[in-house]
């Protein structure tokens, strides 16, 4: 038996989840008896992503990912060290990435979904990158911008939540492709980051003034792509400003996840009149088509210092629930990660 | 000079256009002096289409088609007879289709946009078909169902305004391709037409009971394609019922054209979660890709009696304004046409 501090899912929230009410830290005993092919990992970093809010829904509501079972740890992407193994693919001491619980140790049945990070101990790349720029958020940005966005040099892209895990990468990739890049964020610190560090062409704080007026001022020639992370009023403004044959990459709508009264978008007629394509996706849709190019391109850019990736690292499992709620409220500055333990 | 009864555009409506206020019948003199390549036509049939409501907007609002100039005749698709010609492509007596005014005679500068209907006088196909099943509405249905809808045998399609100019064809084409076809309409007569004449698998009257409940009952396995002609509440219901990787063919949103208070759609998050593609278009987008197949396929089906095409024919230019308003209100039963004159 292993003492295992965990973040347990307790109940479905209808608005923002509340630590202690909807999820809480508990220490449980883990029966670490491994069967053939099982792997026990010690978790180092956890990825906190907005889509996880959807997994906190009532289990009767169907979706593309299962809801979290009540009484079990919250789970998501992580970087971990193998501490026991009955699986030859994952020897003890190897560093892996995959789906793990929000807990100190996870028993991964059959080693399912794990992937070894080669040379992880000697690399200059921080381990948290494997759940960020080199992981799901990076692949999300890279593949969807390319396949749904169909970006062309000279076009203009507008990105909401542009300092977030995905948005900051979409912006930098679009700059590399020769687009004019506009971002919206929720604080002046983030605004500075977009303009000064990421070299966006224009940006605005959506909490100051009219979103539509800000977007119109930033995009006098309209926009060709809207990279959608927020929904609601920002989507409505984008629809007004999109050009003929514009594309909306529907990655997420974080403004709509924590309210029982979602925003009603009134100008969808623009989709007809301006022949717009709006398309949702999940990252696995594009794995086959883009996976190899993503690893090569983004890995190279990162090592050469051609892209920046800002992370917001909360330390300790005890802080995971607050960090998650903060992320849903836009308090994180960069990709939200929880550091569970040192390597 | 020719006496020329016309329907003149007077002012932009904010709600339903009102005959006498926003457009009115007037007899004007037409200076029928033809220059090189000009053609004078006598109009026989006019096509009344929902998109024309968009052309009645204020001229300051940009769109894919120009707004109607105030003081000029309303214009749209028509079938006409050439009565004078300085254009060798359009000899006197030929029957043509193209864009004409809502008037007895139109002087078509340079013969622009006209197309001769071959053997029109001897054909069993009624002339009105060239602005309906064999014209723009037919091509709209055929091309967008194929290219945006990506229909596959065994899938389910839901069509709003399913007895209209486009909807009735989409449904019959989808049946031919082996889909399960569901339609919504606004009267019980139209419901009977869908079920008994067009052999839809299910249909409902959107004015009776909850749209969402009706759609769920008609589509227990969900829908794979939503063919969107209406917008608002029907779009919202479709988003709830669409399956993973569903497609929305955004052809029109007639419920939103005549109100200053458009409906707010609150469940667009389904586009993300269910990886839906929603795409607007205009028929000319697909002309190159689909034009030849359309003419061959639909022409063959029509001659063989494999498809039905219901038209609602108002007689006389005097009745054109009321017929147009009636169409915007769903009072037409089938494709709305105005018969201006006998051949």
């Amino acid at each position: 038996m292993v003492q295992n501090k965990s973040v347990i899912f307790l109940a479905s929230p209808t608005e923002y989840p509340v630590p202690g009410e909807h999820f809480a830290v508990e220490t449980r005993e883990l029966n670490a008896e491994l069967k053939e092919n099982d792997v026990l990992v010690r978790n180092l970093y956890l990825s906190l992503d907005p889509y996880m809010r959807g997994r906190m829904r009532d289990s009767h509501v169907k979706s593309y990912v299962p809801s979290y079972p009540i009484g079990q740890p919250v789970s998501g992407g992580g970087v971990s060290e193998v501490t026991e193994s009955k699986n030859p693919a994952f020897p003890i001491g190897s560093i892996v990435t995959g789906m793990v619980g929000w807990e100190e140790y996870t028993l991964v049945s059959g080693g399912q979904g794990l992937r070894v990070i080669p040379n992880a101990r000697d690399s200059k790349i921080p381990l948290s990158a494997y759940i960020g720029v080199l992981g799901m958020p990076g692949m999300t940005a890279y593949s969807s911008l390319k396949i749904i966005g169909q970006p062309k040099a000279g076009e203009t892209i507008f990105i909401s939540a542009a300092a977030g895990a995905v948005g900051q990468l979409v912006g930098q990739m679009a700059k590399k492709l020769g687009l004019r890049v506009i971002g919206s964020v929720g604080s002046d610190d983030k605004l500075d980051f977009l303009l000064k560090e990421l070299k966006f062409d224009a940006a605005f704080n959506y909490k100051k003034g009219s979103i539509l007026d800000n977007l119109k001022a930033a995009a006098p020639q309209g926009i060709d792509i809207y990279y959608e992370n927020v929904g609601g009023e920002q989507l409505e403004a984008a629809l007004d400003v999109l050009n003929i044959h514009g594309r909306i990459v529907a990655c997420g709508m974080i403004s709509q996840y924590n309210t029982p009264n979602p925003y009603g978008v009134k100008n969808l007629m623009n989709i007809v009149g301006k022949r717009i394509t709006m398309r949702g996706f999940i990252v696995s849709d594009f794995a086959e088509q883009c996976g190899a190019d993503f690893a090569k391109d983004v890995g190279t850019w990162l090592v050469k210092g051609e892209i920046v990736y800002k992370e917001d690292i909360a330390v300790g499992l005890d802080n995971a629930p607050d960090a998650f709620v903060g992320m849903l409220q836009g308090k994180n500055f960069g990709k939200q990660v929880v550091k569970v333990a040192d390597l």
Side-chain angles (χ1 to χ4, degrees), chain A:
Chain A
M1 288 293 179
V2 178
Q3 291 296 308
N4 195 23
K5 188 185 275 191
S6 314
V7 178
I8 304 296
F9 179 57
L10 300 175
S12 291
T14 49
E15 303 189 17
Y16 286 103
V18 177
E21 184 178 341
H22 303 108
F23 51 172
V25 180
E26 264 183 41
T27 297
R28 292 184 165 189
E29 291 198 325
L30 176 71
N31 180 355
E33 265 184 47
L34 276 61
K35 300 198 193 75
E36 184 77 11
N37 289 321
D38 285 356
V39 178
L40 183 71
V41 300
R42 185 172 71 93
N43 297 317
L44 306 173
Y45 288 97
L46 301 175
S47 179
L48 273 53
D49 299 291
Y51 83 89
M52 294 172 168
R53 176 63 182 78
R55 298 194 64 184
M56 292 184 170
R57 71 186 181 277
D58 188 287
S59 62
H60 296 96
V61 181
K62 281 192 296 182
S63 181
Y64 65 99
V65 277
S67 59
Y68 288 132
I70 286 177
Q72 298 295 313
V74 173
S75 61
V79 175
S80 314
E81 179 187 26
V82 176
T83 53
E84 289 187 45
S85 180
K86 290 202 172 177
N87 190 320
F90 306 105
I92 289 174
S94 53
I95 308 297
V96 296
T97 179
M99 293 298 278
V100 295
W102 286 16
E103 54 194 351
E104 290 173 293
Y105 294 91
T106 301
L107 199 163
V108 183
S109 178
Q112 206 172 7
L114 295 182
R115 189 170 62 79
V116 170
I117 302 171
N119 310 313
R121 288 173 192 269
D122 309 318
S123 172
K124 284 177 185 159
I125 295 173
L127 289 181
S128 56
Y130 293 95
I131 47 174
V133 56
L134 296 178
M136 184 276 283
M139 174 66 182
T140 295
Y142 181 92
S143 60
S144 62
L145 174 63
K146 194 164 170 173
I147 294 175
I148 303 178
Q150 302 275 333
K152 294 168 212 44
E155 288 190 329
T156 298
I157 185 171
F158 167 50
I159 305 157
S160 54
V166 173
Q168 60 177 309
L169 291 174
V170 172
Q172 293 177 83
M173 290 170 186
K175 285 296 295 177
K176 277 187 169 293
L177 293 167
L179 280 79
R180 183 160 189 283
V181 177
I182 299 167
S184 69
V185 287
S187 78
D188 289 346
D189 283 356
K190 293 177 185 176
L191 200 60
D192 275 356
F193 172 67
L194 294 193
L195 293 171
K196 292 180 187 158
E197 291 192 52
L198 303 189
K199 313 291 182 198
F200 274 40
D201 298 285
F204 62 91
N205 181 341
Y206 75 88
K207 294 176 179 170
K208 291 187 172 174
S210 143
I211 291 172
L212 181 59
D213 289 347
N214 273 313
L215 181 56
K216 280 183 173 168
Q221 310 297 318
I223 61 174
D224 303 291
I225 305 172
Y226 172 44
Y227 199 96
E228 163 72 306
N229 292 310
V230 170
E233 204 177 341
Q234 300 216 35
L235 172 56
E236 205 165 63
L239 282 163
D240 271 350
V241 174
L242 271 159
N243 293 326
I244 297 261
H245 284 135
R247 287 84 69 196
I248 300 176
V249 186
C251 179
M253 297 190 179
I254 196 166
S255 73
Q256 305 299 296
Y257 297 172
N258 299 286
T259 169
N261 300 306
Y263 186 93
V265 174
K266 293 189 170 181
N267 61 349
L268 290 167
M269 182 55 201
N270 281 302
I271 292 182
V272 179
K274 298 196 283 199
R275 297 123 91 180
I276 290 166
T277 299
M278 178 171 187
R279 181 175 164 194
F281 68 99
I282 58 172
V283 61
S284 56
D285 291 345
F286 303 137
E288 205 176 310
Q289 195 174 346
C290 282
D293 284 349
F294 161 67
K296 182 171 61 70
D297 284 354
V298 180
T300 305
W301 297 335
L302 194 68
V303 168
K304 286 191 178 170
E306 292 179 19
I307 52 173
V308 171
Y309 194 63
K310 193 168 185 73
E311 294 173 346
D312 192 331
I313 302 185
V315 178
L317 268 176
D318 290 315
N319 291 314
D322 281 336
F324 186 71
V325 178
M327 179 198 64
L328 293 175
Q329 295 172 337
K331 290 181 182 161
N332 59 311
F333 189 169
K335 159 70 184 165
Q336 184 67 57
V337 169
V338 170
K339 182 175 179 177
V340 180
D342 283 311
L343 180 58

